[in-house]
Amino acid sequence: MPRPYDSSIRIERARRTRASIVETARDLLLHGGYSAMTVATLAAAAGVSPQTVYNSVGNKAAVVKVVYDQMMAGDDAAVTMSDRPEFQAIFEAGDRPAFANAYAGWVRLLAERAGPLLGALLAHGTDATLLEFTATIEQERYVGTARAITGMRDRIGLPEHHADENGLPWLIDAVWTLNSPDCYDRLVRRRGWSPTEYETWLAGQLIALLD
């Protein structure tokens, strides 16, 4: 009688191949820049065929997005950022200043994780693929900001000067602007601030908005 087919070995092999491709892509992007990483150079560096890259991850745009997502998350688990314990812990704050400090720490964490990659990518901002990538992550960041501020409103409440119908959208827009990767890049990479100084500055700006 034939033995039943065990797909777990094939699945694990595919997972390892994908992980190796993504790790190699991250190294190429960080050290060689966006233009240096093509599907062909990635495949050669990872020791696989270009078709394997396409089958495991996708085209160059897909590879960049996966690298970014994993650097932001700190792992490859299929858990959205807003469902992660670090994000949920922000809402343990008992008042708006405490929320501002906790949120600033969260933004700093994400910026430290993905900042080096974004710095390497943004230098090639006229590339059509990168423009699409930037638009995607900006929208994702806006959704995340909206969840954070809406969650704060539901648990703690908004300050009186943001209590009208325009207050919440205005506040989300303002926080979305403050937590932008460009702010982190300008202050930390270009001006030489430490991540701690950036976090302190961001918390102060948020407290001024929220309290």
Side-chain angles (χ1 to χ4, degrees):
M1 182 176 179
R3 297 172 59 185
Y5 175 68
D6 184 2
S7 64
S8 62
I9 295 177
R10 177 181 59 82
I11 292 173
E12 177 59 20
R13 185 181 297 118
R15 187 197 68 78
R16 290 182 180 179
T17 297
R18 177 183 168 87
S20 175
I21 291 170
V22 173
E23 182 178 356
T24 303
R26 181 191 64 205
D27 291 341
L28 288 174
L29 288 168
L30 290 176
H31 298 113
Y34 176 78
S35 60
M37 195 208 77
T38 65
V39 170
T41 58
L42 171 57
V48 299
S49 69
Q51 191 59 49
T52 298
V53 174
Y54 286 116
N55 292 343
S56 297
V57 185
N59 60 14
K60 181 174 180 176
V63 170
V64 171
K65 185 61 166 63
V66 170
V67 171
Y68 168 80
D69 287 345
Q70 290 192 12
M71 289 184 71
M72 282 280 284
D75 57 51
D76 60 356
V79 181
T80 63
M81 298 303 290
S82 59
D83 289 331
R84 289 175 175 266
E86 306 98 310
F87 182 82
Q88 295 297 324
I90 295 171
F91 302 109
E92 295 175 3
D95 55 33
R96 287 189 294 271
F99 172 88
N101 281 290
Y103 185 74
W106 164 253
V107 173
R108 169 192 170 174
L109 173 65
L110 300 186
E112 286 185 297
R113 287 174 176 173
L117 175 65
L118 290 175
L121 296 179
L122 294 177
H124 301 272
T126 57
D127 180 278
T129 299
L130 276 182
L131 291 176
E132 182 179 352
F133 165 78
T134 300
T136 298
I137 65 172
E138 288 288 88
Q139 179 59 28
E140 290 177 349
R141 187 167 57 81
Y142 185 87
V143 170
T145 303
R147 287 177 177 167
I149 300 304
T150 302
M152 182 209 67
R153 177 202 63 187
D154 294 344
R155 291 167 173 81
I156 302 172
L158 293 177
E160 290 184 7
H161 56 286
H162 291 309
D164 61 30
E165 62 180 12
N166 296 319
L168 183 63
W170 185 94
L171 192 57
I172 292 170
D173 287 352
V175 175
W176 179 73
T177 299
L178 285 171
N179 69 25
S180 69
D182 186 60
C183 281
Y184 180 87
D185 184 72
R186 284 174 181 274
L187 296 175
V188 176
R189 185 179 67 84
R190 302 188 213 179
R191 297 304 305 159
W193 288 24
S194 71
T196 299
E197 289 171 327
Y198 164 80
E199 180 181 340
T200 301
W201 169 82
L202 179 58
Q205 300 303 309
L206 293 171
I207 288 171
L209 281 173
L210 299 176
D211 206 48

